[in-house]
């Protein structure tokens, strides 16, 4: 007789992280607080001709240029230096953040520079970071990059295991007259808000499998929804049965922890607009099931819920920052993939929600099963378009590695717009094709389709499988996440979930209004 596990108390995510970070406005350098540091993103080449920021004393630049000459500092991407110089008789910490050549710079580099500033500031005991953006010989620092820097900074302040004795969080100040820096302030506020949503959801995403089964994720999603005035519907096992979500149930049936389908809805002012629907794979732990994964590195599969986590963070940005006219619905399709006496077996045939039968040849290809039902639910909502995010295949990492995640779609314009949005915020995605030629690789003699191909084109086969569960007249895109988590702390942020994709979705919704065309 196996006893069900004891209830896990939903560890409430840290409310503090929800508060927007305060931005101080400081008129001139003389009134900067004790222990401040300047953070200066610098582009390689012609370093000693960088133009002075209007609000900073000119001898600062004389000093920095002298230092750069003496040390041959190059400002390549990731080059960091801490310089302490005397300005107007005041010792000033300067954090130089190399961003490589201006021509090759992109939002990801700037976002990491922001993260680096936060990490180094904490290490050095700096009280307040003051960014200096107008260093590119008079050229404008793009507004998108200011947002990216601010998001990265906020991300860099995240502590995986905050201790009570931890020093006060690093503050952020802008230098200049309130009027002159109004637009700068707006961009920083926007960037911080995105970073705050990401950090809040990181608390949920970083929980290990034992502490965060689907029912706990559902509780926490509900609490987050409530905090943002979003409505939230949760389907438990009984409701999933009623709703014919047999593929989700098949993935979860080896576990004592029951699956959940979680829906968060933002109403929008224009109820007649078709809703944007975003779907996230939320496997709270992926053992592979009966097709068990090897023991080595299996621990990382606690992050197999990160597609859903990006959807959660996105919904919180929708509610708190973007507030679009269009209704937006986020769906988390959640189960624990375990082996066991009741688990789905290789060769089992299941019928998904839309009626298609699936031969489950490998129980480790479970993400596409939970998504099959969720995408069918999404189609029923008469959406403007559907975007799904999932840690679907190891092959995605083989194809593109960490610098970019594969994106696939049934609609070129939607795919291109999402790619541009990712580029704008530093969540890079790159297209793979979904040629109909791939469909024959999923043919099964025993069912409408099987859940794996022959091992080639693994990521495309995953996308091709999902495509079969989306109505072909609905614009749909699928992102197979490759950098959903960091295995260890980086120079610009903590180990653990990155919530890759949330900033991308936010930027795309802002620029497109949530429609594909
Ligand atoms: N969650 C994994 C994919 C994954 C593995 C993402 C490692 C990131 C890191 C997914 O459920 C899976 O196991 N996919 C299989 C598919 C295969 C059986 C067709 C894979 O990639 O091996
Ligand atoms: Mn798997
Ligand atoms: Zn998985």
């Amino acid at each position: 007789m196996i006893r069900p596990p004891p209830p896990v108390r939903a560890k409430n995510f840290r409310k503090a992280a929800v508060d927007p970070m305060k931005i101080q406005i400081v008129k001139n350098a003389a009134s900067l607080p004790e222990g401040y540091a300047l953070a200066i993103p610098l582009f390689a080449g012609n370093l000693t001709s960088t133009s002075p920021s209007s609000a900073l004393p000119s001898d600062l630049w004389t000093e920095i240029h002298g230092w750069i000459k003496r040390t041959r500092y190059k400002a390549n991407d990731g080059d960091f230096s801490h310089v302490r110089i005397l300005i107007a008789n005041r010792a000033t910490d300067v954090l130089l953040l190399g961003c490589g050549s201006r021509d090759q710079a992109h939002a990801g580099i700037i976002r990491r520079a922001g993260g680096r500033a936060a990490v180094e500031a904490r290490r050095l005991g700096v009280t307040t970071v003051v960014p200096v953006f107008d260093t590119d010989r008079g050229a404008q620092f793009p507004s998108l990059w200011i947002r990216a820097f601010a998001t990265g900074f906020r991300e860099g302040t995240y502590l995986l295991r905050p201790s009570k004795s931890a020093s006060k969080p690093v503050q952020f100040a802008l230098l200049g007259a309130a009027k002159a820096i109004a637009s700068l302030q707006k961009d920083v506020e926007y960037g911080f808000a995105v970073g705050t949503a990401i950090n809040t959801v990181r608390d949920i995403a970083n929980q290990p499998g034992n502490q965060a089964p689907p029912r706990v994720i559902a509780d926490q999603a509900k609490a987050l929804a409530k905090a943002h005035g979003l409505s939230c519907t949760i389907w438990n096992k009984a409701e999933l049965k009623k709703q014919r979500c047999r593929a989700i149930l098949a993935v979860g049936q080896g576990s004592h922890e029951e699956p959940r389908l979680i829906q968060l809805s933002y109403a929008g002012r224009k109820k007649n607009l078709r809703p944007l629907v975003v779907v996230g794979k939320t496997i709270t732990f992926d053992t592979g099931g009966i097709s068990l994964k090897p023991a080595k590195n299996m621990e990382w599969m606690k992050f197999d819920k990160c597609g859903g986590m990006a959807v959660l963070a996105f919904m919180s940005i929708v509610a708190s920052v973007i507030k679009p006219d269009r209704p937006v619905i986020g769906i988390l399709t959640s189960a624990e993939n375990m082996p066991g006496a009741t688990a789905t077996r290789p060769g089992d045939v299941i019928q998904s929600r839309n009626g298609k039968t699936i031969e489950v040849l490998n129980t480790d290809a479970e993400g596409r099963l939970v998504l099959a039902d969720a995408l069918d639910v999404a189609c029923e909502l008469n959406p403007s378009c559907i975007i799904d995010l999932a840690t679907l295949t190891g092959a995605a990492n083989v194809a593109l590695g960490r610098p970019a995640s594969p994106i696939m779609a049934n609609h070129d314009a939607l795919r291109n717009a999402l790619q541009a949005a990712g580029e704008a915020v530093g969540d890079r995605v790159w297209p793979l094709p979904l040629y109909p030629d791939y469909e024959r690789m999923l043919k099964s003699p025993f069912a409408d389709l099987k859940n794996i191909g022959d091992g080639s084109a693994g990521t495309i086969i995953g996308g091709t499988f999902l495509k079969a569960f989306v109505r072909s007249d609905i614009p749909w895109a699928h992102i197979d996440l490759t950098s959903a988590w960091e295995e260890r702390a980086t120079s610009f942020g903590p180990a653990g979930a990155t919530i890759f994709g949330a900033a991308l979705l936010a930027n795309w919704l802002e620029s497109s209004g949530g429609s594909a065309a």
Side-chain angles (χ1 to χ4, degrees):
M1 179 50 195
I2 302 165
R3 260 188 269 161
V8 178
R9 263 195 66 148
K11 171 190 141 221
N12 226 333
F13 50 87
R14 282 173 267 167
K15 287 271 161 49
V18 182
D19 300 332
M21 197 166 167
K22 277 224 184 78
I23 302 163
Q24 304 167 46
I25 308 294
V26 180
K27 258 204 208 110
N28 51 53
S31 5
L32 280 166
E34 242 355 271
Y36 82 94
L38 300 173
I40 315 183
L42 283 177
F43 299 104
N46 277 338
L47 272 182
T48 50
S49 65
T50 47
S51 70
S53 166
S54 43
L56 288 165
S58 61
D59 54 347
L60 167 76
W61 292 100
T62 319
E63 289 289 331
I64 292 179
H65 290 165
W67 182 88
I68 286 171
K69 275 194 189 132
R70 284 195 300 280
T71 62
R72 302 198 185 135
Y73 177 76
K74 292 285 188 298
N76 290 326
D77 177 21
D79 277 0
F80 170 81
S81 257
H82 169 222
V83 194
R84 204 167 155 81
I85 43 187
L86 215 60
I87 305 168
N89 285 326
R90 194 173 174 194
T92 300
D93 288 299
V94 180
L95 314 178
L96 298 179
L97 304 157
C99 294
S101 88
R102 179 70 172 73
D103 302 341
Q104 280 171 41
H106 59 85
I109 288 178
I110 308 297
R111 189 167 165 186
R112 291 196 290 268
R116 187 75 185 262
V119 167
E120 299 289 350
R122 182 171 53 239
R123 191 175 61 79
L124 292 163
V126 163
T127 62
T128 310
V129 166
V130 183
V132 179
F133 290 121
D134 53 348
T135 57
D136 188 23
R137 275 153 277 145
Q140 272 274 319
F141 200 88
S143 151
L144 277 167
W145 287 5
I146 293 169
R147 291 176 170 201
F149 186 90
T151 296
F153 184 87
R154 194 78 174 102
E155 290 171 315
T157 62
Y158 182 84
L159 293 175
L160 194 51
R161 295 189 303 149
S163 63
K164 290 218 176 78
S165 62
S167 50
K168 277 210 298 195
V170 181
Q171 296 300 300
F172 202 85
L174 296 176
L175 191 56
K179 254 203 179 140
I181 59 167
S183 86
L184 170 65
Q185 184 182 354
K186 272 226 163 78
D187 286 331
V188 170
E189 280 169 358
Y190 181 99
F192 275 0
V194 171
T196 298
I198 286 171
N199 286 352
T200 302
V201 172
R202 275 171 156 176
D203 277 355
I204 301 175
N206 284 329
Q207 296 170 112
N210 64 328
Q211 289 172 19
R215 68 189 155 83
V216 169
I217 297 296
D219 283 352
Q220 294 173 342
K222 198 171 197 170
L224 191 73
K226 196 174 167 203
H228 284 300
L230 298 168
S231 55
C232 181
T233 313
I234 293 161
W235 291 353
N236 60 15
K237 187 174 169 185
E239 188 64 30
L240 285 166
K241 269 188 193 155
K242 260 193 222 156
Q243 292 285 346
R244 311 176 325 278
C245 292
R246 288 169 296 242
I248 297 175
L249 289 162
V251 172
Q253 74 188 34
S255 171
H256 292 289
E257 293 290 353
E258 296 175 358
R260 295 283 187 273
L261 188 131
I262 306 157
Q263 271 180 265
L264 294 89
S265 310
Y266 163 83
R269 280 174 296 274
K270 299 198 176 151
K271 312 257 183 300
N272 56 322
L273 289 178
R274 297 163 81 182
L276 160 66
V277 182
V278 181
V279 183
K281 169 178 172 182
T282 315
I283 297 296
T284 60
F285 195 83
D286 181 12
T287 66
I290 297 295
S291 315
L292 193 64
K293 286 181 180 296
K296 196 170 153 58
N297 296 330
M298 202 204 278
E299 63 274 21
W300 300 109
M301 286 298 104
K302 66 179 174 186
F303 290 121
D304 210 20
K305 54 182 172 319
C306 281
M309 298 299 99
V311 170
L312 264 191
F314 170 63
M315 290 308 294
S316 111
I317 298 166
V318 166
S320 61
V321 184
I322 307 178
K323 300 178 178 127
D325 288 341
R326 183 184 299 279
V328 183
I329 300 170
I331 300 178
L332 280 65
T333 181
S334 188
E336 184 179 48
N337 188 21
M338 294 286 272
T342 58
T344 295
R345 293 153 287 253
D348 282 3
V349 173
I350 58 176
Q351 188 176 37
S352 73
R353 191 173 189 272
N354 80 345
K356 288 190 180 170
T357 56
I358 303 165
E359 186 189 12
V360 181
L361 283 178
N362 189 320
T363 63
D364 198 11
E366 85 297 343
R368 58 200 73 184
L369 301 179
V370 296
L371 283 165
D373 282 349
L375 288 169
D376 186 59
V377 172
C379 286
E380 264 182 21
L381 297 166
N382 188 29
S384 61
C385 50
I386 302 172
I387 303 163
D388 79 72
L389 285 78
T391 46
L392 204 71
T393 67
N397 192 55
V398 175
L400 298 185
R402 302 190 58 81
S405 290
I407 182 168
M408 289 141 274
N410 65 2
H411 192 287
D412 290 350
L414 174 62
R415 195 195 57 228
N416 290 337
L418 287 166
Q419 188 178 0
E423 194 65 34
V425 300
D427 284 348
R428 279 182 150 173
V429 295
W430 196 264
L432 287 179
L434 288 183
Y435 299 131
D437 307 60
Y438 290 106
E439 289 162 20
R440 75 172 125 256
M441 291 166 68
L442 288 171
K443 281 218 162 111
S444 159
F446 302 105
D448 293 330
L449 66 176
K450 53 185 185 177
N451 77 330
I452 55 170
D454 62 7
S456 66
T459 300
I460 294 175
I461 289 300
T464 301
F465 183 92
L466 298 181
K467 192 177 73 172
F469 297 88
V470 180
R471 252 174 44 204
S472 58
D473 60 324
I474 300 174
W476 157 79
H478 158 61
I479 298 175
D480 193 339
L481 306 173
T482 61
S483 53
W485 67 88
E486 296 283 357
E487 292 188 4
R488 58 194 114 253
T490 58
S491 60
F492 50 88
T498 60
I499 320 296
F500 178 103
L504 178 158
L505 291 172
N507 181 280
W508 171 77
L509 174 56
E510 271 218 282
S511 50
S512 69
S515 81

